[in-house]
C-alpha cells in the first residue's frame, strides 16, 4: 500500500489499460472530450504555458484527408476508430502567457522571444500534456490508441499552419474485438532509475 | 459522472494537486520511487521504446553539484526538497527495442538507425513518460515540483553523457508551508480543442 491512488484507479489508468487497435462502433461524445479536457488541463506545464492543442477529426471528409498521411499499418484503425484526435504543439503559446502566468508577465519576452526557444518549450510541454491527455482518455473509461507513425509534414499542411506541430495522432473509443496484443515487457527499475 | 475515474482519484492526480515549492523534511524512500515506477512504466510509448531514465539525486555531494545549474529562482527549493530527480531522455533507447518490441525487432534498424530520428523520438516519448511520472508522484501521495529552469548542458555534463538529454528536474516530497500559489488560469476548452 505504498501508493495513495486506489487500486481500481491504478488499474483503470495504468495496469489494466492497453493501447487499443480495434474499437466498437460506440461514438465518443463532445461531452466526454470536454470532461477529459476539464480534468487534464490542471496538470502542470512550465510557466503554465499549456501549449497542447487538440484537433478532433469529426467529419468523414476530414477523416479521408487524414488517413493517407498515416503509416500503412495505422490506416485501418485510424479509418475506423470512433474518434481520432491530432495532438498538436502550439509554437506561439507565448501569446497567452501574460494571462496564464500573471506572476511574471515578462516571461513572454524574457524567455520566449526566439522562435527556437518556443518550439523547444512547446515540444516538451505539449508532449507532457499529451501524456496527461492519454491518461485522461482512460480516465473517461475509453481506450486510447496513440500513434507517432504518420507523415508529420503532411498532417501539418493538411490540417494546421506553420505555427502548429503535430506530435501524436490518437484513436479514441471503446475497445473492440482482439483490441490489443499481450503487453510487451517493461524495463526493470534498475535499468531506468539510478542514484547519485 | 462522465468520467470513470472516481472523484478522489481525480482530486489526487489533477484537481487538488499543485506544483509544490516547499516541502516538509519527511524523506522519500526507495520503496516509494519503486512503487511510482512500477505503476507508470505501463503507460504507452511508441514501439514501447520507453526512453525515460531517472537520476535520483540522493547524496548531499550530488545535490551540491546540481543546485548551481538551476535557475536562481529554483535553487532554494532544489536545495531543500527531500528528493530531487533528473528526468532524462536516453537517445540510445533503440538498443533495447528488440527486447521491448519483439513483434517487430527490425524497428531498431528500420526506424532508428539515424541519431536524429532517435533524438526526436526519445525527446517526445520521454516527455510523455515524464508526464506519466509526474502523475505517478502524485499517485504516491507526494507533491511534485517539476522545473525546466536549469542549464541543460551543465546538468548533462555534470551527471550524464552525450547520449542522455536532461528534460526536467523534479522536486519530490510532502508539501510544506505555503507550498503553492493560487492556481493559475487554464485555457478554455474552445481555446484548445477544435473539430474538423
Amino acid at each position: 500500500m505504498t501508493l495513495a491512488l486506489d487500486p481500481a484507479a491504478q488499474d483503470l489508468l495504468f495496469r489494466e489499460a492497453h493501447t487499443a487497435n480495434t474499437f466498437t462502433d460506440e461514438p465518443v461524445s463532445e461531452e466526454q472530450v470536454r470532461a477529459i479536457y476539464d480534468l487534464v488541463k490542471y496538470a502542470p506545464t512550465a510557466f503554465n504555458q499549456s501549449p497542447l492543442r487538440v484537433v478532433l477529426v469529426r467529419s468523414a471528409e476530414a477523416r479521408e484527408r487524414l488517413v493517407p498521411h498515416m503509416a500503412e499499418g495505422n490506416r485501418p484503425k485510424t479509418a475506423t476508430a470512433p474518434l481520432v484526435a491530432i495532438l498538436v504543439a502550439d509554437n506561439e503559446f507565448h501569446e497567452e502567457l501574460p494571462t496564464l502566468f500573471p506572476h511574471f508577465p515578462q516571461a513572454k519576452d524574457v524567455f520566449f522571444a526566439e522562435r527556437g526557444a518556443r518550439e523547444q518549450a512547446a515540444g516538451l510541454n505539449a508532449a507532457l500534456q499529451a501524456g496527461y491527455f492519454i491518461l485522461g482518455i482512460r480516465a473517461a473509461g475509453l481506450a486510447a490508441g496513440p500513434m507517432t507513425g504518420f507523415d508529420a509534414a503532411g498532417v501539418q499542411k493538411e490540417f494546421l499552419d506553420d505555427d502548429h506541430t503535430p506530435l501524436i495522432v490518437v484513436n479514441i473509443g471503446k475497445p473492440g474485438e482482439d483490441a490489443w496484443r499481450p503487453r510487451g515487457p517493461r524495463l526493470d527499475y534498475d535499468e531506468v532509475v539510478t542514484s547519485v
Side-chain angles (χ1 to χ4, degrees), chain A:
Chain A
M1 295 305 294
T2 308
L3 295 177
L5 186 68
D6 83 272
Q10 293 178 34
D11 288 346
L12 181 70
L13 300 182
F14 295 101
R15 297 188 200 281
E16 297 296 325
H18 292 258
T19 290
N21 297 306
T22 70
F23 297 91
T24 70
D25 290 338
E26 194 178 321
V28 176
S29 70
E30 184 76 4
E31 187 194 0
Q32 286 174 298
V33 183
R34 279 184 187 270
I36 292 166
Y37 178 69
D38 285 338
L39 180 71
V40 302
K41 70 182 181 186
Y42 294 115
T45 56
F47 294 108
N48 192 29
Q49 63 189 251
S50 310
L52 181 72
R53 303 291 178 267
V54 179
V55 179
L56 302 177
V57 181
R58 283 265 183 219
S59 70
E61 171 270 325
R63 185 83 65 114
E64 273 176 33
R65 290 194 287 128
L66 175 62
V67 169
H69 297 289
M70 304 303 296
E72 210 168 316
N74 287 331
R75 285 179 197 164
K77 52 191 171 186
T78 306
T80 56
L83 180 61
V84 183
I86 308 170
L87 305 186
V88 173
D90 181 355
N91 298 306
E92 300 299 290
F93 68 87
H94 67 311
E95 298 293 349
E96 313 295 334
L97 265 192
T99 305
L100 292 174
F101 199 69
H103 310 287
F104 186 57
Q106 310 91 309
K108 174 185 168 184
D109 300 310
V110 172
F111 294 116
F112 300 114
E114 300 290 334
R115 171 71 174 228
R118 295 202 294 277
E119 285 182 3
Q120 190 181 21
L124 173 61
N125 286 280
L128 275 184
Q129 289 187 284
Y132 307 145
F133 195 85
I134 289 166
L135 296 182
I137 292 167
R138 294 171 168 188
L142 298 167
M147 300 170 290
T148 55
F150 61 90
D151 171 13
V155 169
Q156 184 172 26
K157 194 169 173 202
E158 193 76 47
F159 293 100
L160 304 166
D161 62 25
D162 287 349
D163 293 333
H164 293 82
T165 307
L167 299 180
I168 294 174
V169 177
V170 56
N171 297 320
I172 306 172
K174 287 274 169 72
E177 267 185 60
D178 293 324
W180 44 71
R181 285 184 293 241
R183 196 196 296 278
R186 294 301 192 265
L187 295 172
D188 291 337
Y189 179 82
D190 297 322
E191 294 175 287
V192 171
V193 184
T194 53
S195 294
V196 291

